[in-house]
Amino acid sequence: MKIPRPDGLRFITSCLFFICFLYALASITELRFDSLLEFGRCALANINMPSAQLYNSSNTLHSSPNITSLALNSSSNDEIRVLFGILTLPGQYQRRHFLRLIYGTQTLVGAKVDVKFVMCNLTKEDQEVLVALEIMRYDDIIILDCEENMNKGKTYTYFSSLPEMFNNTNGVYPPYHYVMKADDDAYFRLQNLVDSLKPLPREDLYYGYVIPCSSMEPFGHYMSGMGYLISWDIVEWIRESDIPKNHLEGPEDKTFGDWIKNGHRAKNRFNAKWSMYNFPEPPTKCTHELWPHTIAVHLLKNQEKWIRTLKYFNVTDNLEPSKLYHIP
């Protein structure tokens, strides 16, 4: 048997040391990369964002992650389902068509948001024809079994009717993680809404803009009627509990807050102020300047306010060029 020459042994030993060196270098590089990535995430989390905050029933404050960090932490397989109900009147055809443009041109990632227009029973012949045509064309209308009203139980009928409408319809439970009640004079940016929901609990949640305007404490008050959102378990509680049934009349948003308080529900509450606010003019304690981190702008009572808001958020930026039109 041949005995290895000394120079051969030195060569083999050198190779082994070199391989060990490369392995150690790779480990250090990976560690530094992970640290750098974590540092980057921390830096993103420190970007100035809205003062929206999550509270639980122990009054513990949890800072809300900003929209950029949500993209890092979300799972593409965990799609959020939201029923977005806009309360309307049967005869408000033009307003519904306008809102279909507003919400139908928004693109969403990581969520399914079903926008529905909610009204009470039809009472006129023209409504029976025109609303039926809307349903045939758009399939986005819910007609409740009630007389049209604002503060005499329409909100209760809306929420309490949903379990029978949607439970066990597609074999998925819950059919929606969250349900929104929104006014038709509010503009919601749906992607920002969805991003704000991603880190939040999907049970016992009450989300919105705390009233009064000067307050940031969601457990002492209620959420503005411009738009508030609850988790599906609270929707089912509203249907089953006697507390809402026995207190139907009064300002609908305050009445809703009374149900939650008296029923000891919504241990998780999210105050979306100042991502939600009233249109800046005329200035009040409830207004805020338009800004990029907006979720909702309320009190868009005329076309001028709608146009100013839509232009600020550049809603037509994705318009494709064509020979068929020329828009400056």
Side-chain angles (χ1 to χ4, degrees):
M1 181 176 64
K2 293 182 178 180
I3 299 174
R5 296 170 58 185
D7 55 345
L9 289 174
R10 285 196 296 270
F11 176 76
I12 294 172
T13 304
S14 300
C15 288
L16 289 174
F17 276 113
F18 184 68
I19 291 171
C20 292
F21 172 76
L22 289 178
Y23 178 80
L25 180 62
S27 300
I28 295 171
T29 302
E30 181 179 2
L31 178 61
R32 288 181 177 176
F33 176 79
D34 289 341
S35 301
L36 182 61
L37 180 60
E38 185 64 29
F39 174 79
R41 288 177 176 172
C42 294
L44 285 172
N46 289 327
I47 297 174
N48 289 330
M49 291 297 294
S51 55
Q53 296 164 330
L54 171 68
Y55 293 78
N56 61 28
S57 56
S58 63
N59 285 331
T60 302
L61 170 64
H62 302 274
S63 297
S64 170
N66 65 67
I67 291 172
T68 305
S69 66
L70 292 176
L72 293 172
N73 296 329
S74 64
S75 169
S76 59
N77 296 324
D78 194 20
E79 185 178 71
I80 294 175
R81 300 185 298 276
V82 181
L83 177 63
F84 191 93
I86 303 173
L87 270 58
T88 182
L89 300 174
Q92 292 182 333
Y93 309 110
Q94 292 185 353
R95 174 57 63 89
R96 287 194 292 278
H97 291 320
F98 174 70
L99 291 175
R100 287 185 182 108
L101 291 176
I102 298 302
Y103 293 115
T105 52
Q106 296 191 36
T107 303
L108 286 175
V109 176
K112 175 187 177 185
V113 178
D114 289 339
V115 177
K116 302 288 186 182
F117 297 98
V118 182
M119 62 187 72
C120 288
N121 289 322
L122 310 182
T123 58
K124 297 180 180 179
E125 185 178 8
D126 66 305
Q127 296 172 1
E128 295 175 1
V129 175
L130 297 177
V131 173
L133 286 172
E134 287 184 82
I135 294 172
M136 293 168 64
R137 175 62 181 86
Y138 301 107
D139 191 24
D140 63 357
I141 287 178
I142 295 175
I143 301 178
L144 305 173
D145 187 12
C146 57
E147 294 184 5
E148 200 59 65
N149 69 88
M150 179 181 295
N151 296 317
K152 294 185 178 182
K154 181 176 181 178
T155 298
Y156 169 75
T157 306
Y158 167 51
F159 284 115
S160 64
S161 300
L162 296 179
E164 184 177 354
M165 291 180 180
F166 292 105
N167 272 346
N168 302 318
T169 54
N170 296 318
V172 176
Y173 184 85
Y176 296 98
H177 297 113
Y178 307 108
V179 175
M180 170 72 76
K181 173 267 161 189
D183 283 352
D184 65 0
D185 63 346
Y187 169 59
F188 277 80
R189 304 177 71 210
L190 297 181
Q191 187 65 59
N192 282 10
L193 171 65
V194 166
D195 288 341
S196 72
L197 292 173
K198 288 179 180 178
L200 301 186
R202 295 185 179 179
E203 292 183 352
D204 217 19
L205 178 70
Y206 183 26
Y207 172 115
Y209 174 103
V210 172
I211 294 295
C213 300
S214 58
S215 173
M216 296 297 288
E217 171 51 62
F219 280 90
H221 306 283
Y222 59 95
M223 305 298 183
S224 165
M226 75 166 80
Y228 51 86
L229 174 146
I230 56 175
S231 52
W232 187 257
D233 59 310
I234 296 182
V235 173
E236 293 183 322
W237 172 79
I238 292 172
R239 179 176 177 82
E240 300 298 331
S241 174
D242 288 332
I243 292 174
K245 294 176 186 176
N246 295 327
H247 180 23
L248 297 180
E249 296 193 11
E252 64 89 14
D253 49 2
K254 183 178 185 301
T255 299
F256 188 93
D258 291 341
W259 302 343
I260 296 297
K261 179 179 180 181
N262 295 335
H264 305 287
R265 297 307 304 255
K267 68 177 181 292
N268 300 305
R269 306 194 184 188
F270 186 87
N271 177 20
K273 194 182 292 182
W274 292 95
S275 292
M276 298 173 66
Y277 51 88
N278 287 349
F279 187 81
E281 295 175 4
T284 69
K285 291 182 179 180
C286 300
T287 61
H288 191 283
E289 292 300 317
L290 300 174
W291 71 316
H293 302 303
T294 296
I295 292 173
V297 184
H298 186 221
L299 294 184
L300 302 179
K301 295 293 188 181
N302 56 50
Q303 182 166 301
E304 178 186 357
K305 292 182 178 181
W306 272 103
I307 297 303
R308 281 184 56 186
T309 302
L310 297 175
K311 287 187 68 174
Y312 176 84
F313 293 112
N314 301 313
V315 298
T316 60
D317 271 4
N318 292 328
L319 179 67
E320 296 290 340
S322 172
K323 295 179 180 179
L324 301 180
Y325 48 76
H326 51 282
I327 299 177

